[in-house]
Amino acid sequence: MKVSVRKDGSALSHAPDNWYAVDWRRVERNVRGMQIRIAKATREGDWRRVKALQRMLTRTLSAKLYAVRRVTQSQGARTAGVDRELWDSPESRWEAVGRLKRRGYKPLPLRRVFIPKANGKERPLGIPTMRDRAMQALYLLALEPVSESTSDPNSYGFRLNRSTADAMSQIFVTMSKRVSAQWILEADIKGCFDYINHDWLIDHVPMDKEILRKWLKAGLIYKGQLQATEAGTPQGGIISPTLANVTLNGLERELIEHLGAKLGIVKAKKLKVNVVRYADDFVITGDSQEVLESEIRPWVEAFLAQRGLQLSEEKTRIVHIDQGFDFLGWNFRKYSGKLLIKPSKKNAKAFYRKVAEAISGNKTVKHEELIRLLNPMLRGWAQYHSSVVAKQAYTRMEHLIFGRLWRWSRRRHPNKNADWVRKTYFHTVGDREWVFSAPVVHEDGRKGLLELYQLSGTEIRRHKKVKGEYNPFDLTMEQYGETLRQERLANTMRYRKQWASLYVSQKGLCAYCGCALDDETGWHDHHLEYKMNGGSDALSNRVLLHPNCHQQVHAGNIAVTKPVSLH
């Protein structure tokens, strides 16, 4: 076992009597061990044991520490609930761990806020207090192994190591062949999070029913008024996506079983019915329009009605693959029998509007600052579509953005001619001309150019789909899951080459606590020899740490060494 050492040579105690003394590697190991046991009992159908193990997990110190760490490391950690309380110090986080108790627990109402949607409407969110978020995270640790073990194989939303790209890949697998199904039921559930029946949730969600009931009935505060919650699980709670998944689990499995029982297994397979779901959006393929209209849709409507839900009439339709359909920001359509997946026009239009607003809203900033603002947006959009046929969309988007940037540049200098503006804001880089870029001086004193991200230079790479039967809490699949996680995170980092190199060299683990680095936890770039003490930016002097671990290392003046040595 590794003992962390301060830079003054003194050892750190492993007994956690404060936030900085916690051995996070041990915490993660304890929690995961319990989750694996819960998942095993679930697969064996031993529900009494599942309940006992869940109760045991939610009472352990490790699970409470893990829950507090999760909610204080998330992006929403700076957003307070109705009590305006934030856990922004190690002392407040340590104190919060002791407040995560079932006895006497009463959640406060949610704070209602609205955020804009791509279609111009607003999405309602319910923001819980920090304590209620931590309690949800605690009970989610016990619910997730059950949810993952009972989920449909082709459900991809809000699940570990699953993404929109997996859903896209599954549609390609089921529809790309010449003999594949030609008709699609493109479905959307009307206000899924707002209308789920509370009684159904309490009766069917395998978790502490009294705690669940308290969350569902906590109410909302909007404009100073308390509003009762009679249905739904408001978006904004950390456990809400999993509750929605549990509600919709069975849509695929039970539909296939229903068709097999009614028509026989052989005839049912000939209908070519496949379900691909991401959260509350899903598509169902079929061999004919009649089957989808007369057999599949009525069954789906009855399935949803039991849960208090219904299909959205305006967003649900049956289409032929030659006509095409949009799903998760992509357009799926066959051209002369060949299935092509491209960024949807709606998605591209929404992204261009976002970029245009960023440019027009920053008319007076230095163009270096504008480039730093736009690059993450451009890189993120390009990476999202990098596994589909997107080259034409990239080129078109670059042309539109260039027009915006040219007008932005000309507006700043109305008395200068076009040639002066071009030389000031646009440069030649290699064989590329008219590159929007700014001269910069790097930390090592070298002069260079900060370039706008090149969309058309994004590499198109086929996405490697997760196995449908993959369960992150099944020990037999642990190596597969670990390899998949590292490959995917390294892939998202490939445009930040130095960070990717550090990530690979550390095997995807934090150099201090030895726990996994991922998109949810985030990571910081830490200098082993501080720059103020003469340390360089060389990779040999840098490691990746969790943000929380980074703070802990600096506060405790702790020396971190390379390579990674697990606790």
Side-chain angles (χ1 to χ4, degrees):
M1 180 180 294
K2 176 183 173 182
V3 178
S4 298
V5 179
R6 300 185 190 276
K7 288 191 174 180
D8 61 9
S10 60
L12 287 174
S13 171
H14 281 288
D17 55 0
N18 64 75
W19 189 255
Y20 286 143
V22 177
D23 181 345
W24 290 109
R25 179 68 174 175
R26 180 175 293 178
V27 165
E28 186 176 83
R29 188 165 58 242
N30 291 343
V31 171
R32 179 157 176 78
M34 289 291 292
Q35 289 180 314
I36 289 172
R37 293 170 65 189
I38 292 171
K40 183 174 183 292
T42 302
R43 294 193 300 273
E44 294 172 351
D46 190 347
W47 294 104
R48 290 185 64 181
R49 182 163 176 76
V50 168
K51 187 175 181 179
L53 290 170
Q54 286 181 319
R55 184 168 59 248
M56 190 185 306
L57 175 60
T58 55
R59 294 179 180 181
T60 63
L61 176 61
S62 289
K64 293 177 181 180
L65 286 165
Y66 196 101
V68 172
R69 190 191 198 196
R70 180 171 182 177
V71 299
T72 53
Q73 282 192 163
S74 69
Q75 291 183 348
R78 297 178 184 176
T79 305
V82 294
D83 62 354
R84 300 296 175 181
E85 180 181 351
L86 291 176
W87 296 341
D88 51 6
S89 70
E91 292 76 21
S92 61
R93 293 168 188 168
W94 181 254
E95 181 186 354
V97 173
R99 294 168 56 194
L100 301 186
K101 298 178 180 178
R102 184 183 187 279
R103 179 175 295 179
Y105 170 65
K106 184 177 181 181
L108 292 176
L110 306 172
R111 181 165 69 92
R112 173 68 91 191
V113 298
F114 292 88
I115 60 173
K117 296 171 66 174
N119 59 8
K121 297 181 181 180
E122 291 185 319
R123 185 189 306 279
L125 295 183
I127 308 299
T129 64
M130 291 298 293
R131 185 192 181 201
D132 293 335
R133 263 177 264 178
M135 285 292 285
Q136 289 189 16
L138 176 63
Y139 280 86
L140 179 59
L141 291 174
L143 175 60
E144 220 167 19
V146 184
S147 172
E148 285 289 339
S149 301
T150 56
S151 289
D152 291 328
N154 292 305
S155 161
Y156 297 100
F158 305 114
R159 295 181 61 191
L160 297 173
N161 276 349
R162 294 185 182 233
S163 65
T164 53
D166 290 308
M168 175 272 295
S169 298
Q170 179 60 24
I171 293 176
F172 182 84
V173 168
T174 58
M175 303 204 69
S176 59
K177 299 181 180 64
R178 184 180 59 82
V179 295
S180 297
Q182 300 294 303
W183 291 89
I184 304 96
L185 171 63
E186 182 189 357
D188 180 84
I189 300 173
K190 182 178 180 181
C192 178
F193 285 88
D194 296 326
Y195 296 111
I196 299 175
N197 184 280
H198 282 180
D199 291 336
W200 191 95
L201 281 172
I202 293 169
D203 289 342
H204 293 86
V205 176
M207 64 168 287
D208 189 312
K209 299 188 183 302
E210 187 59 33
I211 293 291
L212 178 58
R213 181 180 287 106
K214 288 180 178 180
W215 286 334
L216 296 176
K217 303 299 182 183
L220 295 161
I221 289 184
Y222 182 57
K223 294 183 177 180
Q225 299 293 319
L226 177 63
Q227 302 174 0
T229 46
E230 301 299 334
T233 168
Q235 296 182 66
I238 192 171
I239 202 171
S240 294
T242 301
L243 293 179
N245 268 340
V246 172
T247 301
L248 297 175
N249 280 343
L251 181 63
E252 176 185 3
R253 185 178 59 255
E254 293 179 22
L255 174 58
I256 301 303
E257 290 175 357
H258 162 76
L259 293 174
K262 183 176 181 179
L263 304 174
I265 296 177
V266 175
K267 287 186 177 179
K269 285 186 176 181
K270 290 181 179 179
L271 298 180
K272 302 176 183 176
V273 174
N274 297 280
V275 182
V276 180
R277 178 168 67 86
Y278 187 91
D280 57 340
D281 293 327
F282 60 93
V283 295
I284 302 178
T285 67
D287 192 43
S288 68
Q289 183 177 9
E290 181 183 359
V291 166
L292 292 175
E293 283 182 346
S294 61
E295 186 68 43
I296 305 302
R297 180 165 180 167
W299 184 92
V300 170
E301 290 174 339
F303 175 89
L304 296 176
Q306 296 176 9
R307 294 151 174 80
L309 302 172
Q310 58 182 339
L311 293 176
S312 169
E313 291 296 333
E314 61 183 61
K315 296 181 180 180
T316 301
R317 63 191 187 124
I318 296 174
V319 297
H320 193 275
I321 191 59
D322 290 345
Q323 179 184 352
F325 65 97
D326 290 350
F327 187 60
L328 302 176
W330 293 297
N331 178 261
F332 299 77
R333 184 178 174 183
K334 275 191 174 180
Y335 298 83
S336 302
K338 183 176 182 179
L339 179 64
L340 296 182
I341 307 172
K342 304 178 181 181
S344 70
K345 291 180 179 179
K346 181 179 178 182
N347 178 272
K349 184 177 180 180
F351 176 70
Y352 173 66
R353 185 166 59 244
K354 179 181 177 182
V355 173
E357 289 173 354
I359 295 172
S360 62
N362 291 274
K363 292 184 175 70
T364 60
V365 303
K366 294 179 179 179
H367 65 301
E368 175 187 339
E369 295 178 24
L370 183 62
I371 292 171
R372 294 190 190 279
L373 173 67
L374 294 178
N375 275 355
M377 298 166 57
L378 298 174
R379 185 181 293 110
W381 187 75
Q383 286 183 349
Y384 185 81
H385 296 294
S386 63
S387 55
V388 303
V389 183
K391 284 293 185 182
Q392 185 178 0
Y394 289 158
T395 303
R396 170 65 175 163
M397 188 63 66
E398 276 188 340
H399 174 74
L400 293 172
I401 293 174
F402 170 81
R404 277 280 179 173
L405 291 173
W406 177 249
R407 292 193 293 273
W408 179 89
S409 304
R410 290 296 304 270
R411 180 191 176 279
R412 292 164 67 88
H413 305 281
N415 298 323
K416 299 290 185 180
N417 60 37
D419 189 55
W420 184 93
V421 172
R422 181 187 66 80
K423 290 179 180 178
T424 302
Y425 293 98
F426 298 86
H427 300 85
T428 298
V429 179
D431 59 354
R432 297 168 56 216
E433 297 180 341
W434 289 85
V435 179
F436 190 69
S437 50
V440 293
V441 179
H442 298 293
E443 291 183 350
D444 58 4
R446 291 183 300 106
K447 293 182 179 180
L449 284 176
L450 176 65
E451 306 168 27
L452 187 73
Y453 179 79
Q454 183 189 10
L455 290 174
S456 59
T458 305
E459 182 183 1
I460 302 298
R461 299 176 57 169
R462 178 63 60 86
H463 178 77
K464 181 180 178 182
K465 191 184 84 70
V466 67
K467 294 179 181 178
E469 66 274 15
Y470 169 65
N471 183 341
F473 301 105
D474 186 343
L475 276 177
T476 63
M477 299 183 180
E478 188 164 23
Q479 185 60 49
Y480 169 81
E482 184 64 20
T483 302
L484 184 70
R485 182 187 67 81
Q486 291 189 23
E487 286 178 354
R488 291 190 171 182
L489 195 54
N491 190 44
T492 63
M493 296 173 70
R494 70 179 185 268
Y495 297 105
R496 294 166 283 182
K497 294 182 179 178
Q498 289 192 342
W499 281 20
S501 178
L502 289 173
Y503 178 83
V504 172
S505 70
Q506 294 176 204
K507 299 180 180 178
L509 304 176
C510 171
Y512 174 66
C513 73
C515 298
L517 295 163
D518 55 37
D519 286 327
E520 183 179 353
T521 64
W523 53 82
H524 282 178
D525 194 340
H526 172 70
H527 288 74
L528 302 176
E529 181 69 26
Y530 297 164
K531 293 191 70 176
M532 61 183 293
N533 296 334
S536 72
D537 285 322
L539 289 179
S540 59
N541 190 47
R542 290 156 56 195
V543 290
L544 298 180
L545 307 176
H546 291 122
N548 191 271
C549 292
H550 198 197
Q551 182 185 17
Q552 190 169 338
V553 164
H554 279 277
N557 196 28
I558 302 167
V560 181
T561 58
K562 291 183 75 169
V564 173
S565 177
L566 300 183
H567 287 44

